[in-house]
């Protein structure tokens, strides 16, 4: 209340920001006439002038007003588009290192050019980040003309790009690419063997398009470069067999007391919990098949990975559903992941932590080998490396708090160029999914009868297929846009705005492509070859009529068939309609059987529906229900935010270590002479070894000289006659002895070095150090992974998992640094004097091995316990055999007249005796038992 009053009197923070920026816009506009008077050459010359002024010390901020005026004028001349004032505000926002929230269709692509231009003046590079390769190339090509006109270069990076081309793309003034590619290049740059192989320059400024998608949705996905490790296919097949023996319990409380069931699914946290009874059963099974020794336990640290295998197998069977989370590519005999957010298939991506293999075992396709992590980071930590970060999207405000806390990014809401004319209607809520679908179909009929196009958004491929089937039954022509048809995606979207067109799309499929009212006549022209000018004009004239017709009919209509877990994704769907002041409409249709409602809607809501005696296809619009849905979304958003924070907390620990290792690696590549470091390592390594046999400050009867001699000989293949030294010199104390051993070791190495020659020795040292650093770092990453996976068990022992993780990973890291040094000293001591050819071969071999690694991008998220799980929603039940339901639909009249549906009964089905009357009927009709076979009996 108070805050509303304050907001009314002094305006929101956003209002104040806009007011401040409007003053800058006035300055930009003040330059317009003078800039318009310049010739093309003079305009281009401005870029050189700005660069000189900046080099002499003038700040980019002070150059900005004139530079924006130059960019705007160049765009007018090259593209025929003059940046709107609101786009100037967006450009300032981006330049200031903030997020510009700009509604879909308002022209973010053009807005971005302003901030790219001003920041390119510094010559340190501007990275533009897009969600996919198609958009990177498209946007680069859209803007290339403008930038080249202004004398700037544009580069695009993509995967599997020839090295030189990528190197050049990173040296362009403005570079376009996907978040994955930038992240991978960063990781790869820290795996090279000489500085000149590095592709990226120091990370300067970046603009992330669809920033919410990348920093929020994808932030649950760490970037992992991995190589293949040893084959354990048999283990997956074996553990897959155990699953039918385990029984699921639905009752969490019962299980906690170990009374019933072997495991249960914690839906809210997406985790598998195994009961004590379950542990015993699994243990017995593994002993039976010889995977575990008679006296071994699943709890012992070395055996913990086995348990993870079992959990993965349970997830594969109970949480991951064919055609929802993955599809089986029959031809390739492969499991292909379906992206939860976009509904697109992601060939080549694999779930980590053995889940992919578990799903392969379940589906009986070939089990591919596991990967070893070679390098990993998160988008959070990658993007925080930039000196300045900014982004744009249509939907950021709901996540503003997270942007602030994780990235220190402010969100500025940019006003629209024209007022929004879209009408957003209240949700309609039905009892059952079937009723909801009937409601949607009635609505579609009404909309298309008016001549308006409609886009139906679904959360899963399965839902889009169900709806498509029902529309077919109802005789409504339509297009389906989902993972299975992405090649036709652009074409379908281009025409989704035609009069009465019906398009079903999984959430966000075809994102980044405009739906133009009346259809996209230019795309049509591009598809038809050999058109005469008249024919083209005719097409345009036809479009004009259709465009008018659709506007009259209320524009593009959006129907959401389910609410997504995050409000932001819902807003994205709505945002597809009503672009740039176009008319439009949006409404969500929900049912109590939707996942979100099923998991989170309280009994109260369900009871309310019951009390109202609602018929199946009758809907209500009620504040309480809408509130309850928003609460549910809020809960899921908070859970996801927690998961991301958790991932970040764990990655922050790894990040500090990564920085140390990458820094050391750079030093190794940059330093001409490593000899001093090598000498230092000798000191450290020998000191630690000597401590074990000759403790510091001790006297000679506490010494174990024979042991020390043996150990040195064993470790370094080098005999030191320490006993003889002591016999010869009675006054040699602990300190003197220590010094003599180290001096001898170094002298021994110096001798070897002089035989090798300075240059060869130097190459060998660098090679050994890099080799050992990389090898130990990789092993360390695997250990950290194991540690993180097991760490939540510590909370059972009343310990704080996070603290424990920090402490133990620090210890692991220290141990790793020690091991690197000791291995380098050992290797150098043991090696025979190599010839230059041998050294060259060594270097070549290491390079070759590095190139051989098949790098894969893994798709994983972390749950609240810090355990990595695939990014999928909580269990989503599939209505088995849905397609056997035949539905006769009502006449499509305006009110919600009840309609009857006929069901094809499958009478060969066995009905369990104690079946719950509210459970789905075992015949697969998709109806409740009491309404199906339960009614018949
Ligand atoms: P967004 O990414 O914000 O959804 P786009 O960048 O795809 O929007 O732009 C939507 C449409 O608006 C494009 O066809 C673009 O050419 C057009 N547009 C953007 N800005 C302008 C402008 N200043 N003048 C004219 N057309 C513009």
């Amino acid at each position: 209340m108070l805050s509303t009053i304050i907001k009314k009197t002094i305006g929101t923070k956003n209002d104040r920001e806009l007011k401040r920026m409007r003053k800058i816009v006035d300055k930009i506009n003040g330059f317009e006439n003078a800039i318009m008077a310049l010739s093309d050459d003079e305009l281009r010359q401005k870029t050189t002038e700005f660069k000189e002024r900046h080099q002499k010390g003038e700040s980019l901020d002070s150059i900005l007003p004139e530079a924006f005026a130059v960019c705007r004028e160049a765009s007018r001349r090259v593209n025929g588009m003059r940046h709107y004032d609101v786009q100037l505000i967006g450009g300032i926002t981006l330049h200031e290192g903030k997020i510009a929230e700009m509604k879909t269709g308002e022209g973010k692509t053009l807005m971005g050019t302003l901030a790219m231009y001003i920041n390119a003046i510094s010559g340190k590079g501007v990275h533009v980040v897009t969600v996919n390769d198609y958009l990177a190339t498209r946007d680069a090509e859209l803007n290339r003309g403008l930038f080249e006109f202004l004398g700037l270069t544009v580069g695009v990076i993509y995967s599997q790009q020839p090295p030189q081309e990528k190197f050049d793309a990173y040296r362009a003034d403005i570079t376009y690419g996907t978040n994955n590619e930038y992240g991978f290049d960063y990781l790869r740059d820290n795996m090279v063997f000489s500085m000149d192989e590095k592709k990226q320059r120091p990370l300067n400024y970046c603009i992330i398009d669809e920033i919410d998608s990348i920093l929020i949705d994808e932030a649950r996905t760490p970037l992992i470069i991995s190589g293949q490790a040893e084959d354990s296919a048999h283990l997956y097949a074996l553990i897959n067999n155990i699953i039918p023996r385990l029984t699921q319990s639905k009752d969490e409380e019962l299980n906690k007391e170990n009374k019933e069931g072997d495991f249960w699914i914690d839906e809210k946290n997406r985790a598998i919990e195994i009961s004590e009874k379950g542990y015993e059963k699994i243990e017995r099974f593994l002993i039976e098949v010889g995977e575990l020794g008679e006296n071994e336990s699943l709890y012992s640290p070395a055996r913990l990975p086995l348990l993870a295998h079992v959990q993965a197998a349970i997830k594969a069977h109970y949480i991951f559903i064919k055609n929802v989370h993955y599809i089986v590519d029959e031809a390739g005999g492969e499991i292909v992941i379906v992206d939860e957010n976009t509904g697109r298939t992601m060939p080549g991506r694999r779930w980590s932590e053995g889940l992919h293999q578990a799903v392969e075992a379940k589906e009986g396709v070939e089990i591919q080998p596991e990967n070893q992590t070679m390098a990993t980071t998160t988008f959070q930590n990658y993007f925080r490396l930039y000196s300045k970060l900014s982004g744009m999207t249509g939907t950021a405000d709901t996540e503003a708090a997270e942007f602030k806390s994780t990235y220190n990014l402010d969100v500025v809401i940019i006003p629209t160029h024209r007022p929004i004319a879209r009408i957003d209607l209240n949700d309609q809520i039905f009892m059952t999914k079937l009723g909801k679908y009937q409601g949607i179909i009635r609505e579609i009929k009404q909309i298309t009868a008016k001549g308006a196009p409609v886009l139906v958004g679904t959360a899963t491929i399965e839902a889009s297929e169900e709806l498509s089937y029902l529309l077919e039954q109802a005789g409504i022509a339509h297009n389906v846009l989902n993972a299975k048809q992405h090649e036709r995606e652009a074409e379908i979207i281009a025409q989704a705005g035609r009069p009465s067109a019906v398009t079903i799309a999984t959430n966000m499929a075809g994102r980044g492509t405009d739906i133009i009212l009346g259809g996209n006549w230019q795309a049509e022209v591009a598809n038809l070859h050999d058109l005469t000018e008249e024919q083209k004009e005719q097409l345009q004239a036809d479009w004009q009529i259709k465009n008018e017709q659709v506007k009259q009919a209320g524009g593009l209509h959006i129907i959401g068939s389910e609410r997504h877990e995050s409000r932001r994704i819902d807003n994205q769907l709505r945002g597809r309609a009503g672009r740039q002041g176009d008319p439009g409409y949006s409404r969500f249709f929900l049912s109590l059987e939707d996942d979100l409602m099923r998991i989170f809607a309280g009994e109260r809501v369900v009871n309310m529906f019951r009390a109202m005696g609602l018929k199946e296809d009758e809907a209500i619009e009620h504040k309480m229900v809408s509130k309850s849905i928003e609460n549910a979304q809020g809960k899921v958003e908070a859970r996801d935010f927690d998961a991301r924070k958790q991932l970040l907390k764990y990655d922050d620990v790894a990040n500090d270590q990564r920085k140390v290792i990458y820094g050391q690696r750079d030093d190794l590549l940059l330093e001409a002479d490593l000899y001093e470091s090598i000498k230092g390592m000798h000191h450290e390594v020998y000191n630690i070894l000597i401590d074990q046999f000759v403790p510091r400050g001790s006297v000679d009867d506490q010494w174990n000289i024979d042991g020390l001699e043996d150990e040195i000989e064993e470790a370094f293949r080098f005999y030191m006659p320490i006993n003889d030294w002591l016999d010869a010199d009675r006054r040699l104390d602990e300190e003197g002895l220590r010094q003599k051993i180290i001096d001898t070791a170094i002298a021994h190495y110096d001798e070897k070095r002089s035989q090798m020659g300075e240059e060869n020795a130097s190459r060998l040292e660098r090679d050994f150090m890099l080799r050992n650093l990389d090898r130990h770092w990789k092993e360390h990453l695997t250990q950290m992974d194991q540690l993180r996976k097991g760490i939540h068990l510590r909370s059972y022992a009343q310990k704080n998992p996070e603290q424990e993780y920090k402490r133990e990973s620090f210890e692991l890291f220290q141990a790793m640094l020690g091991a690197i040094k000791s291995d380098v000293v050992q290797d150098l001591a043991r090696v025979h004097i190599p010839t230059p050819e041998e050294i060259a071969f060594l270097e070549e071999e290491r390079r070759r091995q590095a190139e051989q690694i098949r790098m894969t991008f893994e798709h994983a998220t972390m749950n609240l316990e810090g355990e990595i799980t695939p990014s999928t929603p909580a269990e989503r039940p599939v209505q088995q055999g849905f397609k056997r339901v035949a539905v006769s639909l009502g006449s499509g009249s305006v009110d919600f007249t009840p309609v009857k549906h006929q069901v094809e009964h499958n009478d060969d089905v066995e009905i369990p005796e104690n079946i719950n009357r509210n459970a789905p009927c075992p015949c697969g009709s998709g109806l409740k038992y009491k309404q199906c076979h339960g009614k018949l009996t």
Side-chain angles (χ1 to χ4, degrees), residues 80-84 87 102-111 138-139 142 209-210 512-514 516 579-580:
M81 287 191 284
R82 175 183 172 273
H83 296 82
Y84 305 131
Q87 286 171 320
M102 203 175 202
K103 294 275 168 290
T104 323
E106 286 288 302
K108 284 183 278 293
T109 320
L110 190 63
M111 163 182 84
R138 189 197 71 176
D139 290 355
L142 273 176
D209 193 9
E210 312 279 14
T513 313
D514 242 345
I516 296 170
R579 298 183 150 207
Q580 303 216 348

Side-chain angles (χ1 to χ4, degrees), residues 127 157 166 170 179-192 198-203 223 225 375-379 381-383 385-386 651 654-655 657-663 665-666 777:
H127 289 178
I157 54 156
K166 179 168 267 177
Y170 271 118
N179 47 329
N180 288 356
E181 203 52 29
Y182 284 114
F184 276 135
D185 283 342
Y186 163 71
L187 292 177
R188 271 188 293 246
D189 270 1
N190 285 294
M191 294 162 84
V192 296
K198 285 202 178 202
K199 305 290 187 299
Q200 293 185 336
R201 292 187 278 168
L203 302 173
L223 275 178
I225 292 183
T376 167
T377 187
T378 53
F379 285 126
N381 275 319
Y382 170 70
F383 283 110
L385 294 170
Y386 282 86
D651 189 60
N655 199 39
Q657 300 181 350
R658 186 163 47 233
K659 279 190 193 151
V660 172
I661 291 297
Y662 286 179
R665 228 182 162 275
D666 280 353
W777 176 238

Side-chain angles (χ1 to χ4, degrees), residues 678-696:
I678 299 281
K679 252 178 32 187
M681 288 185 185
H682 276 79
H683 277 273
E684 278 189 56
V685 172
Y686 272 90
N687 269 319
I688 291 169
L689 192 141
I690 296 168
D691 284 348
Q692 295 167 33
F693 300 91
V694 181
R696 282 181 201 256

Side-chain angles (χ1 to χ4, degrees), residues 118-166:
I118 182 72
N119 283 280
I121 297 295
S122 75
K124 291 182 190 159
V126 172
H127 289 178
V128 185
V129 185
T130 63
V131 286
N132 61 42
D133 284 322
Y134 163 73
L135 290 174
T137 316
R138 189 197 71 176
D139 290 355
E141 293 321 314
L142 273 176
N143 294 331
R144 187 184 291 280
L146 168 65
F147 289 130
E148 288 181 353
F149 177 91
L150 286 167
L152 297 177
T153 51
V154 176
V156 183
I157 54 156
Y158 54 92
S159 62
Q160 317 239 307
Q161 188 170 24
Q164 187 60 44
E165 194 187 314
K166 179 168 267 177

Side-chain angles (χ1 to χ4, degrees), residues 203-216:
L203 302 173
N204 176 49
Y205 172 57
C206 107
I207 301 177
I208 308 178
D209 193 9
E210 312 279 14
I211 191 166
D212 53 333
S213 192
I214 291 172
L215 293 191
I216 306 271

Side-chain angles (χ1 to χ4, degrees), residues 716-717 749 752 756 764 768 826-834 842:
F716 307 110
R717 301 273 184 280
Y749 178 62
K752 200 172 212 171
M756 272 189 265
L764 193 73
F768 278 14
Q826 233 177 43
D827 285 354
L828 287 172
R830 286 176 173 196
V831 73
H832 71 262
I833 314 273
L842 206 68

